Amino acid sequence: MRIEAYERIFMILAGLMLVLGIVGIGVGALVAGVHVPSPAGRIDPRTLSTTPPFDQPGLRDLGGGKYEAVVIARAWQFQPNEIQVPVGATVTFTLASPDVIHGFVLTGTNANVMVIPGQISQVTARFDRPGEYLWVCHEYCGFGHHQMYGKVVVR
């Protein structure tokens, strides 16, 4: 069977694009640390505010420069909306929502996760420079969505 020259060129280019795409995914996952977060657990959204650790949202010192920030994302606020950590801290954000789907993206880091009712989401970020790192809801959640933000203050 004879394959035309232009068809052969197109097949080679398509194969190269496929290989480059797979290499790009591999580099993103292995070198850049890009990964798809999976749920850290399940929780009943109706009893979220009475279920540990979400019954006491806030920052917990785990020792050795490691912290856990338990955050509730609800329309249209994060609770708490500010945490303070020292330079060099590694913070694992544990998030849940009692109402609708929210997003959580932390500027200046690779922390980006969906907060879905019924699921516990976790994402970790390290803060090596002092300053303020803003987090926002990046999933439209209703009328007050534009007011849904918080921050990490690193000293």
Side-chain angles (χ1 to χ4, degrees):
M1 179 164 120
R2 188 173 187 302
I3 299 175
E4 296 292 327
Y6 288 118
E7 195 171 353
R8 181 174 293 128
I9 291 170
F10 179 78
M11 290 186 330
I12 291 170
L13 288 175
L16 284 173
M17 292 299 290
L18 183 63
V19 168
L20 286 174
I22 291 170
V23 167
I25 290 170
V27 167
L30 300 174
V31 177
V34 176
H35 65 281
V36 177
S38 59
R42 303 271 181 212
I43 193 164
D44 184 354
R46 295 169 296 189
T47 61
L48 178 69
S49 60
T50 59
T51 306
F54 297 100
D55 58 340
Q56 296 179 359
L59 188 67
R60 291 169 181 68
D61 188 350
L62 304 176
K66 296 186 180 199
Y67 296 85
E68 180 186 30
V70 176
V71 180
I72 297 175
R74 61 170 42 111
W76 295 288
Q77 65 179 341
F78 287 104
Q79 181 187 2
N81 69 345
E82 180 180 319
I83 62 169
Q84 296 185 12
V85 295
V87 173
T90 300
V91 181
T92 298
F93 293 88
T94 302
L95 303 112
S97 170
D99 47 30
V100 297
I101 295 175
H102 296 281
F104 179 87
V105 62
L106 186 58
T107 59
T109 71
N110 65 348
N112 183 345
V113 70
M114 297 293 295
V115 185
I116 301 169
Q119 289 185 1
I120 298 172
S121 302
Q122 281 188 326
V123 65
T124 302
R126 181 168 169 82
F127 300 96
D128 291 323
R129 292 185 314 231
E132 291 186 355
Y133 296 79
L134 180 70
W135 76 62
V136 296
C137 177
H138 61 71
E139 187 70 30
Y140 183 73
C141 56
F143 183 73
H145 167 72
H146 64 284
Q147 299 173 11
M148 194 166 171
Y149 61 90
K151 65 182 173 181
V152 178
V153 179
V154 181
R155 299 176 192 251

